[in-house]
């Protein structure tokens, strides 16, 4: 019988660390296991956080699905610690607009490192309301340690590397990418970064601070019965409305303000709206202007009015150029948001700013948002499959330009799709088609025929070759619409793996999960 020698006891967690004896012993065992060569199982970031915070949460996030409604997400998070329920309240896109991913933003709020509850742009008012309610729980909880209720210190970070510390860049030009009778308005936008010295890596996004539309601002000033020179916060009312506050959608605090200034049925209505109810069935259409029109007898004082509005948020765009190919320059591919409600045209803030309210030579505030898990493979020989319908093509133009600039020999396959071949084939004249950059280009036009035909339909048609590329080690990238496209493309990939890789559906789902874990399936969706 072999004599078993007990392994030496590792003391990795210092005795001064804030853990009980049992926790310290468990953590020592865990880290010892992690450091030993024959125990490769590491915890995820969430699991690690759960362990370190010692609240017994298993770190799983079954609600982390951008297509799931908030009510279902919150149900899945019932009974979890506050920080986990806060994560479930986020839009689950990990899009980076808040400056974090969903998990880190919720951790930051729960640990009181972040005081702003309104940063989740895709989550909109639903997320902001839920976070407010959860934050009240947090505020009412006894402080974990003396001083832990102190306001968080603001860390600005390196200039131009976060939404909290933007730098000026110069707008150079815009060029319409759609032709003829397209139903879309998509712009190729160029910036000069030489003045601010910013650089970036392909896969990163670009944050921009836009200005509101002057016409809308002046209509609001007129509705308030104010003058545009009225001074608010040390600036004119017009300047504040142009640059500092969001004019869509109307925040609950504006309904609250209106309820304080009025009475009776009108007050009840404003109160109901402030609580997320929809007494007239129009809540989803109420931007700030529409609220002033709806409650046209109420005239808030400009100062109180501005206080009731939310700060203007930056918008992120996938960078469609490569710093290696065109140093000092940066381009975006921007779909313009315009729609009509009732008789009024509504303008997407940043997309229409870039399309019509900024002129060549003008400066704007910008920052580079580092990509987390969306990057070219480190090995330039690895083949890549890119799926990017519509503006989803943006980072792939950047990938291709970068691979050309760096002489990367790996094969490149792009699935691009849009409405009509005749007028919506972006960049058909240059990088995407010519110069042998693309090994394969597969196209899908959704409105050319009688039936919708999407990128994932094209992928299914050439599934055998997709599988061959995967078997050769290809990395797969998906960019564009988060709500439907990304899920549908993932489903197609599962079907292809099942069919051509001779696997059951469950095995194919695990195969895709494994690709994700290894960084071989990456998404940039919004
Ligand atoms: C990481 C990342 C990368 C991105 N990359 C790109 C990119 O490369 N190109 C790109 O174009 N966009 C991209 N986006 C989206 C972009 O950030 C903006 O969300 C988009 O341009 C709209 O912003 P906006 O300010 O113009 O519109 P907003 O003022 O934010 O208005 C948009 C809102 O208007 C409402 N709305 C829109 N259409 C309608 C309608 N028909 N009826 C009723 N309401 C409507 C919706 O509530 C919508 O959320 C990206 C987003 C992220 C997070
Ligand atoms: N929330 C929404 O309802 C919605 C919808 C579309 C776009 N968007 C947003 O609009 C912005 C820009 O859009 P974009 O210019 O990139 O183009 P887009 O409007 O997303 O469309 C690009 C192409 O994708 C097709 N498409 C639609 N549904 C799809 C699906 N489930 N799977 C695969 N392809 C699908 C479109 O076809 P058809 O249009 O012919 O169906 C079109 O051919 C993005 O921010 C996007 O998220 C939002």
């Amino acid at each position: 019988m072999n004599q078993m020698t007990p392994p030496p006891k590792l003391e990795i967690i210092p005795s001064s660390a804030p853990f009980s004896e049992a926790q310290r012993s468990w953590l020592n065992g865990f880290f010892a296991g992690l450091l030993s060569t024959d125990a490769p199982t590491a915890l995820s970031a969430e699991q690690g956080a759960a362990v370190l915070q010692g609240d017994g949460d298993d770190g799983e996030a079954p609600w982390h699905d951008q297509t799931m409604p908030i009510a279902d997400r919150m149900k899945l998070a019932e009974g979890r610690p506050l920080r986990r329920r806060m994560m479930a309240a986020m839009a689950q896109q990990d899009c980076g607009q808040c400056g974090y991913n969903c998990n880190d933003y919720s951790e930051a709020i729960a640990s009181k490192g972040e005081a702003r509850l309104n940063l989740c742009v895709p989550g909109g008012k639903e997320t902001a309301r839920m976070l407010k309610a959860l934050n009240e729980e947090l505020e009412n909880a006894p402080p974990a340690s003396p001083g832990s209720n102190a306001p968080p210190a603001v860390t600005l970070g390196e200039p131009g590397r976060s939404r909290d510390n933007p730098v000026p860049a110069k707008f150079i030009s815009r060029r319409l990418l759609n032709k003829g009778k397209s139903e879309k308005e998509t712009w190729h936008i160029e910036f000069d970064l030489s003045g601010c010295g910013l650089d970036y890596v392909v896969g990163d996004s670009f944050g921009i601070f836009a200005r509101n539309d002057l016409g809308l601002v002046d209509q609001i000033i007129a509705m308030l019965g104010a003058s545009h020179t009225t001074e608010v916060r040390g600036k004119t009312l017009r300047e504040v409305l142009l640059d500092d506050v969001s004019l869509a959608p109307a925040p609950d605090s504006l309904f609250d303000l209106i309820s304080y200034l009025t009475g009776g049925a009108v007050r009840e209505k404003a109160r109901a709206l402030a609580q997320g109810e929809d007494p007239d069935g129009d809540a989803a259409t109420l931007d700030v202007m529409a609220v002033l029109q709806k409650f046209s007898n109420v005239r808030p004082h400009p100062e109180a009015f501005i206080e009731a509005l939310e700060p203007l948020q930056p918008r992120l765009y996938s960078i469609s150029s490569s710093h290696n190919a065109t140093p000092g320059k940066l381009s975006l591919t921007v779909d313009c948001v315009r729609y009509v409600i009732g008789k009024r045209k509504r303008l997407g803030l940043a997309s229409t700013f870039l399309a019509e309210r900024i002129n060549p030579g003008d400066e704007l505030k910008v920052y580079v948002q580092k990509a987390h898990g969306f990057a070219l493979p480190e090995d330039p020989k690895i083949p890549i499959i890119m799926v990017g319908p519509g503006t989803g093509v943006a980072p792939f133009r950047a990938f291709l330009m970068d691979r050309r600039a760096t002489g990367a020999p790996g094969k490149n396959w792009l699935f691009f799709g849009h409405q009509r071949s005749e007028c919506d084939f972006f960049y058909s004249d240059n990088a995407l088609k010519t110069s042998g950059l693309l090994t394969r280009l597969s196209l899908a036009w959704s409105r050319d025929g009688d039936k919708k035909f999407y990128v994932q339909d094209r992928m299914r048609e050439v599934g055998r070759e997709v599988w061959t590329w995967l078997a050769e080690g290809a990395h797969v990238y998906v960019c564009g619409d988060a709500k439907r496209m990304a899920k549908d493309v993932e489903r197609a990939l599962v079907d292809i793996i099942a069919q051509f890789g001779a696997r059951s559906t469950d095995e194919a789902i695990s195969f895709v999960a494994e690709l994700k874990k290894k960084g071989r399936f990456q998404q940039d969706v919004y």
Side-chain angles (χ1 to χ4, degrees), residues 184-204:
K184 284 282 188 173
E185 179 191 336
T186 313
W187 296 90
H188 178 75
I189 307 277
E190 292 201 331
F191 299 93
D192 179 357
L193 301 183
S194 57
C196 60
L198 269 185
D199 60 6
Y200 57 92
V201 177
V202 290
D204 290 349

Side-chain angles (χ1 to χ4, degrees), residues 441-494:
L441 174 61
S442 297
L443 301 166
W445 306 108
S446 57
R447 302 189 190 188
D448 270 2
D450 298 336
K451 267 179 67 188
K452 293 272 181 182
F453 189 83
Y454 291 146
V455 278
Q456 61 272 23
D457 301 318
R458 186 66 78 206
M459 287 171 72
R460 285 198 164 90
E461 278 186 1
V462 290
R464 186 181 298 283
E465 290 98 316
V466 170
W467 169 249
T468 306
W469 278 52
L470 280 176
E472 288 169 4
H475 287 203
V476 182
Y477 299 87
V478 181
C479 180
D481 178 56
K483 288 273 178 269
R484 295 178 309 256
M485 183 279 293
K487 258 243 146 57
D488 294 350
V489 167
E490 186 169 337
R491 181 71 225 187
L493 197 65
V494 166

Side-chain angles (χ1 to χ4, degrees), residues 139-199:
E139 294 299 319
N140 294 334
S145 58
S148 65
N149 267 340
V154 178
T155 43
L156 290 179
E158 226 184 297
R161 301 287 167 192
S162 85
R163 51 178 286 150
D164 296 321
N165 199 3
V167 293
K170 198 177 277 178
F171 174 84
I172 308 179
S173 63
R174 65 174 79 85
R175 171 168 62 90
L176 192 61
L177 291 169
N178 315 91
K179 298 184 191 107
K181 291 188 185 141
S182 176
E183 290 175 41
K184 284 282 188 173
E185 179 191 336
T186 313
W187 296 90
H188 178 75
I189 307 277
E190 292 201 331
F191 299 93
D192 179 357
L193 301 183
S194 57
C196 60
L198 269 185
D199 60 6

Side-chain angles (χ1 to χ4, degrees), residues 129-272:
R129 264 186 212 123
M130 185 59 70
L131 283 180
K132 198 172 154 208
L134 293 169
N135 199 52
E136 272 161 22
E137 263 184 61
L138 184 70
E139 294 299 319
N140 294 334
S145 58
S148 65
N149 267 340
V154 178
T155 43
L156 290 179
E158 226 184 297
R161 301 287 167 192
S162 85
R163 51 178 286 150
D164 296 321
N165 199 3
V167 293
K170 198 177 277 178
F171 174 84
I172 308 179
S173 63
R174 65 174 79 85
R175 171 168 62 90
L176 192 61
L177 291 169
N178 315 91
K179 298 184 191 107
K181 291 188 185 141
S182 176
E183 290 175 41
K184 284 282 188 173
E185 179 191 336
T186 313
W187 296 90
H188 178 75
I189 307 277
E190 292 201 331
F191 299 93
D192 179 357
L193 301 183
S194 57
C196 60
L198 269 185
D199 60 6
Y200 57 92
V201 177
V202 290
D204 290 349
S205 308
F206 199 51
I208 71 146
F209 284 83
R211 301 192 101 187
N212 282 310
D213 175 49
L214 181 61
L216 177 62
V217 163
D218 281 351
Q219 281 177 48
I220 288 174
I221 293 171
M223 288 295 289
L224 290 172
S227 153
H228 65 81
T229 56
T230 305
E231 203 182 300
V232 182
R233 296 179 179 170
K235 290 178 166 182
T236 69
L237 177 59
R238 189 192 251 173
E239 282 166 346
V240 174
L241 285 168
L242 275 174
D243 290 321
D244 297 351
V245 290
S246 167
L247 300 180
D252 294 345
S253 41
L254 182 60
F255 296 120
D256 274 332
L257 173 65
I258 286 170
S259 79
Y260 303 146
L261 299 177
T262 181
V266 178
R267 180 187 179 85
E268 282 313 308
K269 198 167 271 187
R271 268 196 184 155

